[in-house]
Amino acid sequence: MKIGILGGGQLGRMLIQEALKYDDEFYVLDPKPECSCAHISFFTQGNFNDKNTVFSFGKDKDVVSIEIEHVSVEGLEMLEEKGVKVIPSSNIIKIIQQKILQKQFYEEHQIPSPEFQVILSREEEIIIGFPFVQKLNTGGYDGKGVQVIKDENDLSKLWDEPSVLEKLVDIDKELSLIIAKNESGEIKTFPVTEMVADPQLNLLDFNICPAQITDDVQTQIDKIAEQFMQAANSEGLFAIELFLDTDGKVWVNETAPRLHNSGHQTQEGNTNSQFEQFYRVLKNLPLADTSHFAYSGMLNLVGDEHHSGKVKYEGLENVLKLPNSYVHLYGKTDTKPGRKMGHINVLADSREKLMQDLIHIKSLVKVVAEK
Ligand code: ADP
């Protein structure tokens, strides 16, 4: 089968890596000839935000999907009209692309998500109470395009762009659920994962799976997952990012209509990974078992803040000497401060040991530039 993917980053790379054990051809569209997928796929250099480029890339494929959501929805609609299978649907990608539509979607379908107000410019009257979080309608990623407005004095910081203003949640834990649905209607979820963020870089830091949550929280999450899949009405693999607040209530932060950083530890931590599952969605195969072994975790290898240039992974050999640690690099030649360059998955018999190992391993490696 000819599988076309818009975006050639690490998510696509790990999908192809997993799926090479089956017999398919992977085609990738990305503007950067040095992207993570360029040398492991049938590669087309081009702009996935341009509708005609997307259409001409996809028109002879059996299925077209994404590994980044900021793509031309119009191009995907043209493919759907021509009869090319697009997963997930252009409609759900369009909703998720824009924070305003995404929030309205949760509201319309009674999916719990923090209270919000929409503004189109900073001239509008602010009716939501302080403190709140401003999220740009488009263009935000990895914590960029998100800022906290604490009080009146902070209002001068407000960005003058269409945004969602969202009530600041008193967060106990950030959680993530990865869920997949195939064309036959089969649905499977992965165990809930906890995400521990790095306050400095705002880039996700550790994943811990399974999350330490009560039965009540699990029940709330199951209900959200069911509501979301019903409302989305599309096959695909989705990551639902959640907040657990200090009162024990679960809220949806946002959803990604694709493979997600919060699922990387499934590569060694579960009977099957998110990449295997996504492949099966693309081919409408029976979905894979998602059970977890013991505890698994992941740490991102991100570019050190003082280094730009040709990448060097300092201390990686010390990690390779350890049992139960698995290194994954993304094939990026150059590092930049905060750039996601790879990750390390870690397995352990207990949550305590996992945390210890993650912290230890993080101290062993540094992503720097060659001198
Ligand atoms: P991105 O899409 O860039 O990852 P998010 O919407 O996930 O942006 O926001 C980044 C981080 O900001 C979240 O992981 C969370 O820590 C914090 N955050 C976002 N919205 C809220 C909120 N309503 N209340 C409290 N913290 C929030």
Side-chain angles (χ1 to χ4, degrees):
M1 201 156 129
K2 289 187 168 162
I3 300 176
I5 306 287
L6 305 183
Q10 62 263 22
L11 299 172
R13 180 181 173 96
M14 290 184 275
L15 166 70
I16 295 170
Q17 176 188 358
E18 187 66 58
L20 278 178
K21 66 189 178 202
Y22 300 114
D23 289 334
D24 298 275
E25 291 172 9
F26 280 87
Y27 294 79
V28 167
L29 176 70
D30 195 279
K32 296 201 200 86
E34 75 283 6
C35 71
S36 296
C37 293
H39 306 299
I40 59 161
S41 62
F42 296 100
F43 180 68
T44 304
Q45 186 181 359
N47 180 1
F48 46 64
N49 280 301
D50 177 70
K51 63 175 190 227
N52 295 321
T53 307
V54 167
F55 181 75
S56 63
F57 168 77
K59 64 183 190 310
D60 61 345
K61 306 297 181 291
D62 297 302
V63 57
V64 171
S65 191
I66 58 166
E67 63 99 61
I68 179 169
E69 59 270 37
H70 301 292
V71 298
S72 167
V73 165
E74 263 185 282
L76 291 176
E77 285 167 351
M78 285 156 63
L79 289 172
E80 283 170 339
E81 268 161 41
K82 190 184 183 289
V84 175
K85 182 127 213 79
V86 174
I87 299 178
S89 72
S90 62
N91 185 51
I92 192 67
I93 295 173
K94 182 174 169 176
I95 291 168
I96 290 176
Q97 267 182 358
Q98 300 178 54
K99 278 258 154 77
I100 296 174
L101 289 181
Q102 201 186 132
K103 289 291 286 185
Q104 289 166 342
F105 169 83
Y106 299 138
E107 190 173 47
E108 186 187 333
H109 295 281
Q110 284 140 35
I111 296 169
S113 177
E115 185 191 325
F116 71 106
Q117 167 188 2
V118 170
I119 57 163
L120 299 179
S121 80
R122 55 185 285 168
E123 305 311 319
E124 284 187 48
E125 191 192 351
I126 310 293
I127 51 177
I128 194 157
F130 297 107
F132 62 79
V133 183
Q134 179 178 27
K135 300 183 174 184
L136 295 184
N137 186 39
T138 55
Y141 66 95
D142 283 350
K144 296 184 189 82
V146 175
Q147 66 170 340
V148 176
I149 305 289
K150 286 206 260 343
D151 51 32
E152 300 261 343
N153 300 328
D154 262 1
L155 279 178
S156 56
K157 290 199 313 197
L158 209 64
W159 294 313
D160 191 19
E161 279 185 61
S163 311
V164 166
L165 308 183
E166 188 178 85
K167 188 172 179 288
L168 185 82
V169 176
D170 197 3
I171 298 175
D172 177 20
K173 282 184 171 166
E174 296 203 32
L175 304 170
S176 165
L177 182 77
I178 292 181
I179 183 163
K181 180 181 174 184
N182 65 13
E183 194 185 353
S184 308
E186 197 186 352
I187 294 180
K188 273 213 162 83
T189 55
F190 281 89
V192 177
T193 296
E194 241 173 277
M195 303 183 290
V196 184
D198 180 331
Q200 255 198 334
L201 273 174
N202 219 346
L203 257 188
L204 188 149
D205 210 6
F206 294 154
N207 294 341
I208 296 167
C209 185
Q212 202 165 42
I213 49 174
T214 62
D215 289 349
D216 174 65
V217 169
Q218 182 69 55
T219 305
Q220 291 182 59
I221 295 174
D222 292 344
K223 168 134 194 257
I224 287 171
E226 196 184 320
Q227 285 176 298
F228 177 83
M229 289 314 273
Q230 185 120 39
N233 189 26
S234 167
E235 64 237 67
L237 182 137
F238 301 88
I240 308 178
E241 293 182 51
L242 304 155
F243 297 137
L244 171 61
D245 75 13
T246 48
D247 293 328
K249 177 153 171 73
V250 179
W251 305 92
V252 173
N253 170 24
E254 61 175 358
T255 306
R258 54 163 169 78
L259 295 160
H260 197 255
N261 194 284
S262 63
H264 288 353
Q265 69 288 339
T266 58
Q267 286 170 313
E268 287 91 14
N270 295 62
T271 48
N272 290 284
S273 70
Q274 62 166 343
F275 305 100
E276 170 79 30
Q277 194 71 302
F278 185 46
Y279 169 77
R280 294 190 185 203
V281 168
L282 294 178
K283 295 207 55 178
N284 192 26
L285 294 169
L287 294 187
D289 179 59
T290 58
S291 324
H292 62 93
F293 297 119
Y295 286 85
S296 60
M298 183 220 60
L299 62 94
N300 286 308
L301 290 174
V302 299
D304 187 86
E305 58 179 333
H306 303 298
H307 289 258
S308 292
K310 212 163 168 29
V311 67
K312 193 170 107 190
Y313 298 93
E314 256 175 29
L316 208 59
E317 289 188 8
N318 294 326
V319 179
L320 295 174
K321 288 178 193 158
L322 300 173
N324 300 341
S325 302
Y326 302 88
V327 174
H328 297 265
L329 301 181
Y330 302 156
K332 300 178 182 177
T333 49
D334 283 21
T335 183
K336 276 190 292 206
R339 186 174 194 205
K340 285 182 191 156
M341 302 296 289
H343 68 266
I344 300 172
N345 291 332
V346 181
L347 304 186
D349 288 334
S350 72
R351 188 181 161 102
E352 291 66 37
K353 178 77 169 67
L354 179 66
M355 282 306 286
Q356 257 175 22
D357 287 355
L358 284 168
I359 292 166
H360 174 62
I361 291 169
K362 194 175 164 74
S363 74
L364 294 178
V365 207
K366 212 167 154 181
V367 182
V368 299
E370 275 179 12
K371 294 261 157 46

